Every structure is written in C-alpha cells, then in structure tokens.
Amino acid sequence: MPEFVLVHGAWHGSWCWADVADALAERGHRVTSVTLPGHSAPGRRERIWNRIGEYVDAVVAAVETCSSPPILVGHSMGGYVVQRYLESRDTAAGVLVASVPARGALAANLRTLRAHPGRTLRAMVTADYLRLVDDPDLVRELFFTADTPAEIVDALTPRLQNESAFAINTMVFRPPQPTKVATPVHVIAAEGDTIFTLDEQHHLAAAYGTEAVVLSGGHDIMLDTSWPELVDQLDRIAG
C-alpha cells in the first residue's frame, strides 16, 4: 500500500488532516501528517518568521521516515511546498489540493486586498496575518461555503494561527516551476473555493499535464462536509 505524507496550509497545522488521515489509515494506508515549523500550537497569535525552505525541509524529513517513496499531498500553501519539493526531488506522486496556482499567490492576495482592504493592509504592514482569519465570518468566507454548518466554522476559528510573512511573500513573488517536476502530479480543486479560483486550478492542472478533479465544498476540503470525497479520491490515486 502506498504511503501518504500530508502537508497542511497556511494558518493551519497537521491537526487539520485528522479525519482524512484516520480514514486513509482505515483503508490500509500508512499516513504521516507533517507539522510545518512554527505550526505546532493551534491558536498561536504570535508572529512567526519561518521561510518556505524550512517548510520544504520538514517535508524532506517526513519523507525520510517512509519505507518507500510516498504520495505527497499538499493543501493550499502546503501544495506550494509540495511543488517546491518536487522541483528537485522525485516521489511516487504529488497531489495538490486547493493549491497555490502555477502563477503563484499574487492574484489571491489582490482579491483579498480588494475584499478587505483595511485588514489586508494592516496585516501586510504589521506582518500579522492572523488579522485575516480571526473572525468567524472571515473564516467562512475564505475556507468554507454558505452551506457549511456553523459548528464546523466555529470549531476552526480558534485553532487558526498566525502565518509567516516571509512564506506568504515567497508564494507571491516566486511562482512554482512545473517544468522542473518529473513526478506525476494530480490536482484536486474545491467547487466553492474563494481563495484559489477554479480557473486557476484548471490552469495549474494543465501546467502539470493533467486535469483537475473538482470536489464539492470550500477551500478547506479536508474540514468541510465533503472531506469523505477527498478520501475517496486519494484512495483512488493510490490505486
């Protein structure tokens, strides 16, 4: 059975994969959920200053514990980290879930700036990116859909933490380089994603010579009610 290494996105931690990891384990897969540097304390309000290279190193360390080349699954910023990993290393497969697009995160940042100019500018000036996710209404807008049960949104909000300004800026100014990747890559998009659009996800898939699989739910597919669909798709990829 192929092993999985799960990589979380910005503001989250390895805890966000709990249901997906347990379900994959029940289907016979060995699963490792990576905790990126600075993300071990849910709800952390202090700024962190980690760089993308440190996040990639955490994935390298996780892969080294695997008995065979694993399937790397990266969500959002974690998808960017997986892409950076694959630019210089091979593995069984990469799976990009609601991931930073091939053009990078600039368009997503501009959309957030237009929607919430005051909050976004204060976050950029102060390097305090918790300002963008410290309210349940914002959490629903960014990570879920209007149909997501309130208890899911309310449970996530206090667990979100600050994110590194260095990491966010890198995703904006240094897009992924799919032409350097030899590993087979799969792209899974969320139908209701407001952070990275479906057009961006289809473009990302095309950059890797594949087609995006679109699942229901919001950006946080692994936490929304559609997370069993994600498990099914990952299990399918594992064969």
Coordinates of all heavy atoms in Angstrom, one line a residue, residues 77-150:
M77 N -1.1 26.4 0.9 CA 0.3 26.7 1.0 C 1.1 25.4 1.0 O 2.2 25.3 0.4 CB 0.6 27.5 2.2 CG 2.1 27.8 2.4 SD 2.5 28.6 4.0 CE 2.3 27.3 5.1
G78 N 0.5 24.3 1.6 CA 1.2 23.0 1.5 C 1.3 22.5 0.1 O 2.3 21.8 -0.2
G79 N 0.4 22.8 -0.8 CA 0.5 22.5 -2.2 C 1.7 23.2 -2.8 O 2.4 22.6 -3.6
Y80 N 1.9 24.4 -2.4 CA 3.1 25.2 -2.9 C 4.4 24.5 -2.4 O 5.4 24.3 -3.1 CB 3.1 26.6 -2.4 CG 4.3 27.4 -2.8 CD1 4.3 28.0 -4.1 CD2 5.3 27.6 -1.9 CE1 5.4 28.8 -4.5 CE2 6.4 28.4 -2.3 CZ 6.5 29.0 -3.6 OH 7.6 29.7 -3.9
V81 N 4.4 24.1 -1.1 CA 5.6 23.4 -0.5 C 5.8 22.1 -1.3 O 7.0 21.8 -1.6 CB 5.3 23.2 1.0 CG1 6.5 22.3 1.6 CG2 5.2 24.5 1.7
V82 N 4.8 21.4 -1.6 CA 5.0 20.1 -2.3 C 5.5 20.4 -3.7 O 6.5 19.7 -4.2 CB 3.6 19.3 -2.4 CG1 3.7 18.2 -3.4 CG2 3.3 18.8 -1.0
Q83 N 5.0 21.4 -4.4 CA 5.6 21.8 -5.7 C 7.1 22.1 -5.6 O 7.9 21.7 -6.5 CB 4.8 22.9 -6.3 CG 3.4 22.5 -6.7 CD 2.6 23.7 -7.2 OE1 2.7 24.1 -8.4 NE2 1.7 24.3 -6.4
R84 N 7.4 22.9 -4.6 CA 8.8 23.2 -4.4 C 9.7 22.0 -4.2 O 10.8 21.9 -4.7 CB 9.0 24.3 -3.3 CG 8.4 25.7 -3.6 CD 9.3 26.4 -4.7 NE 10.6 26.6 -4.2 CZ 11.0 27.7 -3.6 NH1 10.2 28.7 -3.3 NH2 12.3 27.8 -3.2
Y85 N 9.2 21.1 -3.3 CA 9.9 19.8 -3.1 C 10.1 19.1 -4.4 O 11.2 18.6 -4.6 CB 9.0 19.0 -2.1 CG 9.6 17.6 -1.8 CD1 10.3 17.4 -0.7 CD2 9.4 16.5 -2.7 CE1 10.8 16.1 -0.4 CE2 9.9 15.3 -2.4 CZ 10.6 15.1 -1.3 OH 11.1 13.8 -1.0
L86 N 9.1 19.0 -5.2 CA 9.1 18.2 -6.4 C 10.0 18.8 -7.5 O 10.4 18.1 -8.4 CB 7.7 17.9 -7.0 CG 6.8 17.1 -6.1 CD1 5.4 17.0 -6.7 CD2 7.4 15.7 -5.9
E87 N 10.3 20.1 -7.4 CA 11.2 20.7 -8.4 C 12.6 20.1 -8.4 O 13.3 20.2 -9.4 CB 11.3 22.2 -8.1 CG 10.0 23.0 -8.5 CD 10.1 24.5 -8.1 OE1 11.2 24.9 -7.7 OE2 9.0 25.1 -8.2
S88 N 13.0 19.5 -7.3 CA 14.4 19.0 -7.2 C 14.4 17.5 -6.7 O 15.5 17.0 -6.5 CB 15.2 19.8 -6.3 OG 14.7 19.9 -5.0
R89 N 13.2 16.9 -6.5 CA 13.2 15.6 -5.9 C 12.0 14.8 -6.6 O 11.0 15.4 -6.9 CB 13.0 15.6 -4.4 CG 14.1 16.4 -3.7 CD 13.6 16.6 -2.2 NE 14.6 17.4 -1.5 CZ 14.6 18.7 -1.5 NH1 13.7 19.4 -2.2 NH2 15.5 19.4 -0.8
D90 N 12.1 13.5 -6.6 CA 11.0 12.7 -7.1 C 10.4 11.9 -6.0 O 11.0 11.7 -4.9 CB 11.6 11.6 -8.1 CG 12.1 12.3 -9.4 OD1 11.6 13.4 -9.8 OD2 13.1 11.8 -10.0
T91 N 9.1 11.5 -6.2 CA 8.5 10.6 -5.3 C 7.4 9.9 -6.1 O 7.3 9.9 -7.3 CB 7.9 11.4 -4.1 OG1 7.4 10.5 -3.1 CG2 6.7 12.3 -4.5
A92 N 6.5 9.1 -5.4 CA 5.5 8.3 -6.1 C 4.5 9.1 -6.9 O 4.2 8.8 -8.0 CB 4.8 7.4 -5.1
A93 N 4.1 10.2 -6.2 CA 3.1 11.1 -6.9 C 2.9 12.3 -6.0 O 3.2 12.3 -4.8 CB 1.7 10.4 -7.0
G94 N 2.5 13.4 -6.6 CA 2.1 14.6 -5.8 C 0.7 14.9 -6.0 O 0.1 14.7 -7.1
V95 N 0.0 15.3 -5.0 CA -1.4 15.7 -5.0 C -1.6 17.1 -4.5 O -1.2 17.3 -3.3 CB -2.3 14.7 -4.2 CG1 -3.8 15.1 -4.4 CG2 -2.1 13.3 -4.6
L96 N -2.0 18.0 -5.3 CA -2.2 19.4 -5.0 C -3.7 19.7 -4.7 O -4.5 19.6 -5.6 CB -1.7 20.3 -6.1 CG -0.2 20.0 -6.6 CD1 0.1 20.9 -7.7 CD2 0.8 20.0 -5.4
V97 N -4.0 20.0 -3.4 CA -5.4 20.1 -3.0 C -5.7 21.6 -2.8 O -5.1 22.2 -1.9 CB -5.7 19.3 -1.7 CG1 -7.1 19.5 -1.3 CG2 -5.4 17.8 -2.0
A98 N -6.5 22.2 -3.6 CA -6.8 23.7 -3.5 C -5.5 24.4 -3.3 O -5.4 25.3 -2.4 CB -7.8 23.9 -2.3
S99 N -4.6 24.2 -4.2 CA -3.2 24.6 -4.0 C -2.9 26.0 -4.6 O -3.7 26.5 -5.5 CB -2.3 23.6 -4.7 OG -1.0 24.0 -4.8
V100 N -1.8 26.6 -4.1 CA -1.3 27.8 -4.8 C -1.1 27.5 -6.2 O -0.5 26.4 -6.6 CB 0.1 28.1 -4.1 CG1 0.7 29.2 -4.9 CG2 -0.2 28.6 -2.7
P101 N -1.6 28.3 -7.1 CA -1.6 28.1 -8.6 C -0.2 28.2 -9.2 O 0.8 28.6 -8.5 CB -2.5 29.2 -9.1 CG -3.3 29.7 -8.0 CD -2.4 29.5 -6.8
A102 N -0.1 27.8 -10.4 CA 1.1 27.9 -11.2 C 1.7 29.3 -11.3 O 2.9 29.5 -11.4 CB 1.0 27.2 -12.5
R103 N 0.8 30.3 -11.3 CA 1.2 31.7 -11.4 C 1.5 32.2 -10.0 O 1.9 33.4 -9.9 CB 0.1 32.5 -12.0 CG -0.2 32.1 -13.5 CD -1.2 33.1 -14.1 NE -1.5 32.8 -15.5 CZ -2.6 32.2 -15.9 NH1 -3.5 31.9 -15.0 NH2 -2.8 32.0 -17.1
G104 N 1.4 31.4 -9.0 CA 1.7 31.9 -7.6 C 0.5 32.5 -7.0 O -0.6 32.4 -7.5
A105 N 0.7 33.2 -5.8 CA -0.5 33.6 -5.0 C -0.8 35.1 -5.1 O -1.6 35.6 -4.3 CB -0.1 33.3 -3.5
L106 N -0.2 35.8 -6.1 CA -0.4 37.2 -6.2 C -1.9 37.5 -6.5 O -2.5 38.4 -5.8 CB 0.4 37.8 -7.4 CG 0.2 39.3 -7.7 CD1 0.5 40.1 -6.5 CD2 1.0 39.7 -8.9
A107 N -2.6 36.8 -7.4 CA -4.0 37.1 -7.7 C -4.8 36.9 -6.4 O -5.8 37.7 -6.2 CB -4.4 36.3 -8.8
A108 N -4.6 35.9 -5.7 CA -5.3 35.6 -4.5 C -5.2 36.7 -3.5 O -6.1 37.1 -2.8 CB -4.9 34.3 -3.9
N109 N -3.9 37.2 -3.3 CA -3.7 38.3 -2.4 C -4.4 39.6 -2.8 O -4.9 40.3 -2.0 CB -2.2 38.5 -2.2 CG -1.5 37.5 -1.3 OD1 -1.2 37.9 -0.2 ND2 -1.3 36.3 -1.7
L110 N -4.4 39.8 -4.1 CA -5.1 41.0 -4.6 C -6.6 40.9 -4.4 O -7.2 41.9 -4.1 CB -4.8 41.2 -6.1 CG -3.3 41.6 -6.4 CD1 -3.1 41.7 -7.9 CD2 -3.0 42.9 -5.8
R111 N -7.1 39.7 -4.6 CA -8.6 39.5 -4.3 C -8.9 39.8 -2.8 O -9.9 40.5 -2.5 CB -9.0 38.1 -4.7 CG -9.1 37.9 -6.2 CD -9.8 36.6 -6.5 NE -9.0 35.4 -6.2 CZ -8.2 34.8 -7.0 NH1 -8.0 35.3 -8.2 NH2 -7.5 33.8 -6.6
T112 N -8.0 39.3 -2.0 CA -8.3 39.6 -0.5 C -8.1 41.1 -0.2 O -8.9 41.6 0.6 CB -7.3 38.8 0.3 OG1 -7.4 37.4 0.0 CG2 -7.5 39.0 1.8
L113 N -7.2 41.7 -0.9 CA -6.9 43.2 -0.7 C -8.2 43.9 -1.1 O -8.6 44.9 -0.4 CB -5.7 43.6 -1.4 CG -5.4 45.1 -1.4 CD1 -5.1 45.5 0.1 CD2 -4.2 45.4 -2.2
R114 N -8.8 43.6 -2.2 CA -10.0 44.3 -2.7 C -11.1 44.1 -1.8 O -11.9 45.0 -1.6 CB -10.3 43.8 -4.2 CG -9.4 44.4 -5.2 CD -9.9 44.2 -6.6 NE -10.0 42.8 -7.0 CZ -9.0 42.2 -7.6 NH1 -7.9 42.8 -7.9 NH2 -9.2 40.9 -7.9
A115 N -11.3 42.8 -1.3 CA -12.4 42.5 -0.5 C -12.3 43.1 0.9 O -13.3 43.5 1.5 CB -12.6 41.0 -0.4
H116 N -11.1 43.1 1.5 CA -10.9 43.6 2.8 C -9.6 44.5 2.9 O -8.6 44.1 3.4 CB -10.7 42.4 3.8 CG -11.8 41.4 3.7 ND1 -13.1 41.7 4.3 CD2 -12.0 40.2 3.1 CE1 -13.9 40.7 4.1 NE2 -13.3 39.8 3.4
P117 N -9.7 45.7 2.3 CA -8.5 46.5 2.2 C -7.9 46.9 3.5 O -6.7 46.8 3.6 CB -9.0 47.7 1.4 CG -10.5 47.7 1.6 CD -10.9 46.3 1.7
G118 N -8.7 47.3 4.5 CA -8.1 47.7 5.7 C -7.4 46.6 6.5 O -6.3 46.7 6.9
R119 N -8.1 45.4 6.6 CA -7.5 44.3 7.3 C -6.2 43.8 6.5 O -5.2 43.5 7.2 CB -8.5 43.1 7.3 CG -9.5 43.2 8.4 CD -10.4 42.0 8.4 NE -11.4 42.0 9.5 CZ -11.1 41.4 10.7 NH1 -10.0 40.8 10.9 NH2 -12.1 41.5 11.6
T120 N -6.3 43.7 5.2 CA -5.2 43.2 4.5 C -4.0 44.2 4.5 O -2.8 43.7 4.7 CB -5.6 43.0 3.0 OG1 -6.7 42.2 2.9 CG2 -4.4 42.4 2.2
L121 N -4.2 45.4 4.4 CA -3.1 46.4 4.5 C -2.4 46.4 5.9 O -1.2 46.4 6.0 CB -3.5 47.8 4.2 CG -3.8 48.1 2.7 CD1 -4.5 49.4 2.5 CD2 -2.5 48.0 1.9
R122 N -3.3 46.3 6.9 CA -2.7 46.2 8.3 C -1.9 44.9 8.5 O -0.9 44.9 9.1 CB -3.8 46.3 9.3 CG -4.4 47.7 9.5 CD -5.3 47.8 10.7 NE -6.5 47.0 10.6 CZ -7.6 47.5 10.1 NH1 -7.7 48.7 9.6 NH2 -8.7 46.7 10.0
A123 N -2.4 43.8 7.9 CA -1.7 42.6 8.0 C -0.3 42.7 7.3 O 0.7 42.2 7.9 CB -2.5 41.4 7.4
M124 N -0.3 43.3 6.1 CA 1.0 43.4 5.4 C 1.9 44.3 6.1 O 3.1 44.0 6.2 CB 0.6 44.0 4.0 CG -0.2 43.0 3.1 SD -0.8 43.8 1.6 CE 0.8 44.2 0.8
V125 N 1.5 45.4 6.6 CA 2.3 46.4 7.3 C 2.9 45.9 8.6 O 4.1 46.1 8.9 CB 1.6 47.8 7.5 CG1 2.4 48.7 8.4 CG2 1.3 48.4 6.2
T126 N 2.1 45.2 9.3 CA 2.5 44.7 10.6 C 3.0 43.3 10.6 O 3.5 42.8 11.7 CB 1.3 44.7 11.6 OG1 0.3 43.9 11.2 CG2 0.8 46.2 11.7
A127 N 3.0 42.6 9.5 CA 3.4 41.2 9.4 C 2.6 40.3 10.3 O 3.1 39.3 10.8 CB 4.9 41.0 9.6
D128 N 1.4 40.7 10.6 CA 0.5 40.0 11.5 C -0.7 39.5 10.6 O -1.7 40.1 10.5 CB 0.0 40.9 12.6 CG -0.9 40.2 13.6 OD1 -1.1 39.0 13.4 OD2 -1.4 40.8 14.5
Y129 N -0.6 38.3 10.1 CA -1.5 37.7 9.2 C -2.7 37.0 9.9 O -3.6 36.5 9.2 CB -0.9 36.8 8.1 CG -0.2 37.7 7.1 CD1 1.1 38.1 7.3 CD2 -0.9 38.1 6.0 CE1 1.7 38.9 6.3 CE2 -0.3 38.9 5.0 CZ 1.0 39.3 5.2 OH 1.6 40.1 4.2
L130 N -2.7 37.0 11.2 CA -3.8 36.4 11.9 C -5.0 37.4 11.7 O -6.2 36.9 11.9 CB -3.5 36.3 13.4 CG -4.5 35.5 14.3 CD1 -4.7 34.1 13.8 CD2 -4.1 35.6 15.7
R131 N -4.8 38.6 11.4 CA -5.8 39.6 11.2 C -6.8 39.2 10.1 O -8.0 39.6 10.1 CB -5.2 41.0 10.8 CG -4.4 41.6 11.9 CD -3.7 42.9 11.3 NE -2.9 43.6 12.3 CZ -3.2 44.5 13.1 NH1 -4.5 44.9 13.1 NH2 -2.4 45.1 13.9
L132 N -6.4 38.3 9.2 CA -7.2 37.9 8.1 C -8.1 36.7 8.4 O -9.0 36.4 7.7 CB -6.4 37.6 6.9 CG -5.5 38.7 6.3 CD1 -4.7 38.2 5.1 CD2 -6.4 39.9 5.9
V133 N -7.9 36.1 9.6 CA -8.6 34.8 9.9 C -9.1 34.8 11.3 O -9.4 33.7 11.9 CB -7.7 33.6 9.6 CG1 -7.4 33.5 8.1 CG2 -6.5 33.6 10.4
D134 N -9.2 35.9 12.0 CA -9.6 35.9 13.4 C -11.1 36.2 13.7 O -11.5 36.6 14.8 CB -8.7 37.0 14.2 CG -8.9 38.4 13.7 OD1 -9.7 38.6 12.7 OD2 -8.3 39.3 14.3
D135 N -11.9 36.0 12.6 CA -13.3 36.3 12.8 C -14.1 35.2 12.0 O -13.7 34.8 10.9 CB -13.6 37.6 12.1 CG -15.1 38.0 12.1 OD1 -15.6 38.5 13.1 OD2 -15.8 37.6 11.1
P136 N -15.1 34.6 12.7 CA -15.9 33.5 12.0 C -16.4 33.8 10.6 O -16.4 33.0 9.8 CB -17.0 33.2 13.0 CG -16.5 33.7 14.3 CD -15.6 34.9 14.0
D137 N -16.9 35.1 10.4 CA -17.4 35.4 9.1 C -16.3 35.4 8.1 O -16.5 34.9 6.9 CB -18.0 36.8 9.2 CG -19.3 36.9 10.0 OD1 -19.9 35.8 10.1 OD2 -19.7 38.0 10.5
L138 N -15.1 35.8 8.4 CA -14.0 35.8 7.5 C -13.5 34.3 7.3 O -13.2 33.9 6.1 CB -12.8 36.5 8.1 CG -12.9 38.1 8.0 CD1 -11.7 38.7 8.8 CD2 -12.8 38.6 6.6
V139 N -13.6 33.5 8.3 CA -13.2 32.1 8.2 C -14.2 31.4 7.2 O -13.7 30.6 6.3 CB -13.2 31.4 9.6 CG1 -13.0 29.9 9.4 CG2 -12.0 32.0 10.4
R140 N -15.4 31.7 7.4 CA -16.4 31.1 6.4 C -16.1 31.6 5.0 O -16.1 30.8 4.1 CB -17.8 31.4 6.8 CG -18.9 30.8 5.9 CD -20.3 31.2 6.3 NE -20.7 30.6 7.5 CZ -21.2 29.3 7.6 NH1 -21.2 28.6 6.5 NH2 -21.5 28.8 8.8
E141 N -15.9 32.8 4.8 CA -15.7 33.4 3.5 C -14.5 32.8 2.8 O -14.5 32.5 1.6 CB -15.5 34.9 3.6 CG -15.2 35.6 2.3 CD -15.0 37.1 2.5 OE1 -15.6 37.7 3.4 OE2 -14.1 37.7 1.8
L142 N -13.4 32.6 3.6 CA -12.2 32.2 3.0 C -12.1 30.7 2.8 O -11.6 30.2 1.8 CB -11.0 32.6 3.8 CG -10.7 34.1 3.8 CD1 -9.6 34.4 4.9 CD2 -10.2 34.6 2.5
F143 N -12.6 29.9 3.8 CA -12.3 28.5 3.9 C -13.5 27.6 3.6 O -13.3 26.4 3.4 CB -11.7 28.1 5.2 CG -10.4 28.8 5.5 CD1 -10.3 29.7 6.6 CD2 -9.3 28.7 4.7 CE1 -9.1 30.4 6.9 CE2 -8.1 29.4 5.0 CZ -8.0 30.2 6.1
F144 N -14.7 28.1 3.7 CA -15.9 27.3 3.6 C -16.9 27.9 2.6 O -16.5 28.7 1.8 CB -16.5 27.1 5.0 CG -15.6 26.4 5.9 CD1 -15.0 27.0 7.0 CD2 -15.2 25.0 5.8 CE1 -14.2 26.4 7.9 CE2 -14.4 24.4 6.6 CZ -13.9 25.1 7.7
T145 N -18.1 27.4 2.7 CA -19.2 27.9 1.8 C -20.3 28.4 2.7 O -20.4 28.1 3.9 CB -19.7 26.9 0.8 OG1 -20.4 25.9 1.5 CG2 -18.5 26.2 0.1
A146 N -21.3 29.0 2.1 CA -22.5 29.4 2.8 C -23.3 28.2 3.4 O -24.0 28.4 4.4 CB -23.4 30.2 1.9
D147 N -23.1 27.0 2.8 CA -23.8 25.8 3.3 C -23.0 25.1 4.4 O -23.6 24.1 5.0 CB -24.1 24.9 2.1 CG -24.9 25.5 1.1 OD1 -25.8 26.3 1.5 OD2 -24.7 25.3 -0.1
T148 N -21.8 25.4 4.7 CA -21.0 24.7 5.7 C -21.7 24.9 7.1 O -22.0 26.1 7.4 CB -19.6 25.2 5.7 OG1 -19.0 25.1 4.4 CG2 -18.8 24.4 6.7
P149 N -21.9 23.9 7.8 CA -22.5 24.0 9.1 C -21.7 25.0 10.0 O -20.5 25.0 10.0 CB -22.5 22.6 9.7 CG -22.6 21.7 8.5 CD -21.7 22.4 7.5
A150 N -22.4 25.8 10.8 CA -21.8 26.8 11.7 C -20.8 26.1 12.7 O -19.8 26.7 13.0 CB -22.8 27.6 12.4

